[in-house]
Amino acid sequence: MTTSTTRVLALLEILQGGGTRTVADLAARLGVDERTVRRYAGHLLELGVPVESLRGRYGGYRLAPGHRMPPLMLTDEEALAVLLGLLVAQRTGPVTASGAASESAAAKLRRVLPKALGRRLEALLETADFTAPPRSAGAREAGLLLGLAEAARDRRPVALGYTDRRGRSSERTVWPYGLVAHGGRWYLTAADPSAGPATDPSAGPATDPSTAPSAGPATDPSIDPSAGPVAGPAEVRTFRLDRVTGMRVLPGSFESPPDFDPVAAVLDSLAGAPWAHEVRVRVRAEEHHVRRHLPPGLATLSPLPPEAGADWTEVRLRAERLDWIPAVLAALDRPFVIDRPPELRTLVTSLADRLTMYATASAPEAPAPDDH
């Protein structure tokens, strides 16, 4: 490959990094004069690469948006990052497209890679495996994710169709605040100004964890979310994206709280979902120490007032089973008080007895050697 051809491809690689590059910057990076940079850009245009020329003080060259991906120029590390990203997302991440789409994208990428690099990556893909099976998803979920993301960015209300875990369907108008990926799924945090205690089908003991309300002000049913910019109290809810049956963007706009944290809202709503057991424990430890030993989204932690004792943290969580909690409390290695449920005390005592028995047991005697 000639030196000029190499530099033309190097120019393409630089432009693929995005943004507008000045002629002076390109000349310095390629080690040529500005006139040669313009000639190289002309070569790319002749090859069908959509290079745009921008005039003015901050002008230069860039790849035109909205065109098909030009020929890829990836380093070994970049190609590995892209292909592994596709593979890991399909197996363990919050998938938003079918497995066929991920495989097709990876195949297109492999077709344009140099043969030597392609063979090395093929060896990795053939020998790598995961303990978790791939989660299936369809193109519908990808469309919902993109549509809700645009609505959240543009502060547009949406009409949402939703089916809870009990199979109950509902239609509601919500204000989308943000999207959160957690535990291999996508969640939407949204204010539901039209919900109320009498009309919310997920209220009460049968609350669906995927629509559990986060802490927030009371609902104001007089707010019309489609009547221009609005701001006011509305209950914040969390929706699992795979349970959304339809979405339609509505006219109007809304204002979201300035300090709203979608991640915190999702974790709090999941921690507050109804389960078989409600656990309340006080731990003599700072909040950050307790949180390190608990899965995110599982528990709600709050420091106790000084009169309750120095550095005490209250832990509230819900669980279908209690048998795993004693080991977590033991791992904290801090004094604790179990407020509820009473059966948890029995399980903790039983674990302590077993550990004592294991620690004090004598080692079994080795069998006598066989003389024959």
Side-chain angles (χ1 to χ4, degrees):
M1 186 178 291
T2 65
T3 303
S4 60
T5 302
T6 302
R7 287 173 175 163
V8 170
L9 293 177
L11 172 60
L12 174 59
E13 184 176 0
I14 295 172
L15 295 179
Q16 283 183 152
T20 301
R21 307 286 181 171
T22 65
V23 176
D25 175 56
L26 292 172
R29 295 186 62 176
L30 295 173
V32 297
D33 56 36
E34 296 185 5
R35 181 178 179 182
T36 303
V37 170
R38 296 186 180 92
R39 188 171 72 252
Y40 289 167
H43 291 333
L44 291 177
L45 286 171
E46 293 173 358
L47 294 172
V49 179
V51 178
E52 285 187 342
S53 174
L54 303 179
R55 299 183 180 279
R57 180 180 178 183
Y58 300 102
Y61 291 105
R62 70 179 183 187
L63 293 181
H67 287 76
R68 288 185 177 272
M69 185 182 296
L72 286 175
M73 298 289 294
L74 296 177
T75 65
D76 290 12
E77 187 177 358
E78 290 170 342
L80 177 63
V82 173
L83 283 176
L84 283 184
L86 288 170
L87 182 62
V88 172
Q90 182 182 353
R91 290 300 187 100
T92 63
V95 181
T96 57
S98 66
S102 297
E103 292 173 2
S104 174
K108 290 178 180 178
L109 179 62
R110 291 197 294 268
R111 280 199 298 268
V112 299
L113 293 176
K115 289 184 178 181
L117 176 57
R119 284 194 298 268
R120 299 183 68 188
L121 291 177
E122 285 292 346
L124 174 62
L125 297 179
E126 289 174 4
T127 57
D129 209 342
F130 295 85
T131 56
R135 185 175 76 85
S136 61
R140 182 187 64 83
E141 190 172 338
L144 285 172
L145 180 67
L146 295 175
L148 289 171
E150 287 183 327
R153 180 197 61 192
D154 300 336
R155 302 291 185 261
R156 298 286 302 278
V158 299
L160 205 66
Y162 195 77
T163 301
D164 65 20
R165 66 172 179 169
R166 299 178 182 271
R168 299 173 300 189
S169 299
S170 62
E171 298 285 340
R172 62 190 79 193
T173 296
V174 300
W175 306 339
Y177 285 167
L179 292 153
V180 177
H182 174 70
R185 298 188 183 278
W186 283 102
Y187 293 87
L188 168 70
T189 58
D192 190 351
S194 60
T199 59
D200 183 5
S202 63
T207 300
D208 178 9
S210 61
T211 60
S214 304
T219 300
D220 181 0
S222 64
I223 297 176
D224 179 5
S226 62
V230 292
E235 194 164 39
V236 177
R237 295 186 174 274
T238 299
F239 302 90
R240 257 176 53 177
L241 200 67
D242 59 323
R243 290 179 177 162
V244 175
T245 57
M247 186 274 294
R248 179 168 53 88
V249 179
L250 301 175
S253 62
F254 62 88
E255 296 178 9
S256 60
D259 299 325
F260 181 77
D261 185 351
V263 172
V266 168
L267 295 180
D268 287 346
S269 69
L270 294 177
W275 300 98
H277 302 280
E278 182 178 350
V279 179
R280 184 175 299 179
V281 180
R282 286 171 287 159
V283 182
R284 189 171 185 178
E286 295 181 350
E287 182 178 340
H288 66 85
H289 175 80
V290 179
R291 192 173 296 280
R292 284 203 306 267
H293 294 81
L294 291 171
L298 183 66
T300 300
L301 307 182
S302 55
L304 292 174
E307 55 266 24
D311 299 330
W312 281 82
T313 299
E314 184 180 60
V315 181
R316 297 186 183 187
L317 61 89
R318 292 172 171 84
E320 288 295 324
R321 303 193 332 268
L322 297 174
D323 54 357
W324 60 272
I325 298 180
V328 173
L329 294 177
L332 291 174
D333 194 23
R334 295 291 191 276
F336 60 84
V337 177
I338 299 174
D339 292 326
R340 67 173 67 167
E343 53 265 39
L344 180 58
R345 299 191 188 99
T346 303
L347 292 174
V348 171
T349 302
S350 177
L351 174 62
D353 292 341
R354 292 197 305 275
L355 292 176
T356 301
M357 180 182 65
Y358 300 153
T360 58
S362 300
E365 295 183 2
D370 190 353
D371 296 334
H372 299 289

